[in-house]
Amino acid sequence: MLTDFYAGLTIVVILIFTGFFLSKIKIITDEGVKFLSNLILTVALPVAFFNSFPDEFNFADFRLFLWGLVSCVVVLSLLILFSQVLFSKKLIKNNNYEYKFAFAFNNTSFIGYPLVSMAFGQEGLVAYAGFMLPWVIALFTYGVWLFNDNYTWKDTLKGIVNPNVVGIVLGAVFFIFGIQLPSLIDKTVGLIAGLTTPLALLCIGFMLSEAKLKVLFKRWQVVFVCLTQLTIPPIFTWALLKMVGAPPVIISVLVLMQALPTAATLGLFNKKYKNTESESGEIVTLSTILAGITVPILIYFFVA
């Protein structure tokens, strides 16, 4: 499994650097990345979630789906509570909502799907889909609430009914009831789902190309949130799942998810709801760079 993971990680790095290079030569632009990000989050990733389930129902895979779902609810709830304490206004006086978001939500969509699909295959993707159902709902409800001063119940409804949640729920329904798509449509779905990995990683490469590396380590708060976000959640997740006797693939997938860098949606939410000067770009960039060091180490010690 480790060999598959490191091979997958190598492919991820190559695609990220490809996006970085294409940005530097102006083939990928800011407007292009906005379009690609929207395409991924509203079309490719929801279809990929739908496609994560096996064609035929079996209880073993359904059990993994439920393990992923329940584990995410417990782990994410505890991390959110911990972030409220760790990044209170006593420690972070300005824009502490950014730090709470950065600690609780990581890049499970853009980077998580490619790594899980390449390292763990179908079995890992079923667990991943279970994990992502409550994660996506929390992202578009609690995550939006952190930034949106005018949050209402209608925003909660939008957070629950979004393309990613619909994709996971439909995939689970088709899986449980043994519904199969016609061959031609099934192949089309597979091709659309396959767009997720390269497009997402090219976008990450573009984001890194925009970073001002000289200023990344100048703010202790940014360094602190990145280091805590990259270490505490995966170690805590490993200890909790080991304690309750979770299946090995659940431990592997969820530890990997929690070891990933801060979600790129941090910057998107800030632009959409606040549109003020912030450290969101610095947090995402530094977290992504440091993850290149921390992820292989954590996987070696806590997954191997």
Side-chain angles (χ1 to χ4, degrees):
M1 191 279 295
L2 269 184
T3 302
D4 292 336
F5 170 76
Y6 288 122
L9 186 61
T10 301
I11 295 172
V12 166
V13 171
I14 291 172
L15 284 171
I16 288 175
F17 272 103
T18 300
F20 183 94
F21 175 74
L22 292 177
S23 172
K24 289 300 183 181
I25 61 176
K26 307 301 181 183
I27 291 180
I28 298 180
T29 62
D30 187 55
E31 288 300 318
V33 166
K34 288 179 182 178
F35 169 78
L36 290 179
S37 298
N38 188 52
L39 180 66
I40 294 165
L41 293 173
T42 58
V43 180
L45 191 58
V47 172
F49 285 141
F50 176 85
N51 204 47
S52 297
F53 294 87
D55 293 331
E56 297 182 2
F57 177 81
N58 64 83
F59 187 75
D61 283 330
F62 182 63
R63 183 168 172 266
L64 289 177
F65 175 78
L66 293 179
W67 261 108
L69 190 154
V70 174
S71 299
C72 180
V73 171
V74 174
V75 170
L76 186 57
S77 297
L78 292 174
L79 290 178
I80 288 174
L81 289 174
F82 188 60
S83 71
Q84 294 290 333
V85 177
L86 188 60
F87 300 102
S88 65
K89 283 196 174 292
K90 291 182 179 179
L91 181 67
I92 309 294
K93 294 182 179 179
N94 298 318
N95 301 342
N96 70 329
Y97 53 85
E98 289 185 334
Y99 293 84
K100 293 176 182 178
F101 182 99
F103 182 83
F105 296 103
N106 41 40
N107 217 338
T108 56
S109 52
F110 277 30
I111 300 179
Y113 181 85
L115 282 176
V116 172
S117 62
M118 286 185 281
F120 302 105
Q122 186 78 64
E123 186 182 44
L125 285 175
V126 173
Y128 173 75
F131 174 90
M132 288 301 293
L133 181 56
W135 189 91
V136 169
I137 293 174
L139 176 70
F140 287 100
T141 53
Y142 171 74
V144 172
W145 173 79
L146 283 174
F147 287 84
N148 189 359
D149 296 328
N150 300 312
Y151 190 89
T152 66
W153 67 268
K154 291 183 179 179
D155 294 302
T156 300
L157 184 61
K158 289 179 182 178
I160 295 173
V161 184
N162 72 73
N164 295 282
V165 173
V166 171
I168 297 172
V169 172
L170 282 179
V173 169
F174 274 55
F175 169 61
I176 293 169
F177 291 99
I179 304 172
Q180 295 189 15
L181 296 172
S183 177
L184 187 62
I185 297 178
D186 187 55
K187 289 180 180 178
T188 303
V189 167
L191 288 172
I192 296 174
L195 294 173
T196 305
T197 297
L199 293 183
L201 297 177
L202 290 177
C203 289
I204 294 294
F206 172 85
M207 294 175 189
L208 290 179
S209 73
E210 297 287 286
K212 298 177 181 178
L213 300 180
K214 292 182 179 180
V215 301
L216 288 182
F217 292 92
K218 289 186 176 181
R219 298 180 182 178
W220 72 266
Q221 298 97 325
V222 173
V223 177
F224 177 71
V225 71
C226 290
L227 290 176
T228 55
Q229 180 264 326
L230 289 170
T231 54
I232 293 176
I235 295 173
F236 169 75
T237 300
W238 175 85
L240 181 63
L241 294 179
K242 275 285 188 180
M243 184 174 62
V244 299
V249 69
I250 292 294
I251 297 175
S252 298
V253 171
L254 266 67
V255 168
L256 172 60
M257 293 300 96
Q258 296 299 341
L260 296 176
T262 293
T265 45
L266 171 63
L268 299 177
F269 279 10
N270 181 70
K271 286 183 180 179
K272 183 174 182 179
Y273 297 109
K274 294 291 186 181
N275 198 26
T276 58
E277 185 177 348
S278 72
E279 293 88 31
S280 59
E282 296 174 5
I283 294 172
V284 172
T285 301
L286 183 58
S287 178
T288 303
I289 292 173
L290 292 177
I293 301 171
T294 60
V295 169
I297 295 173
L298 289 167
I299 294 301
Y300 179 81
F301 282 104
F302 295 100
V303 174

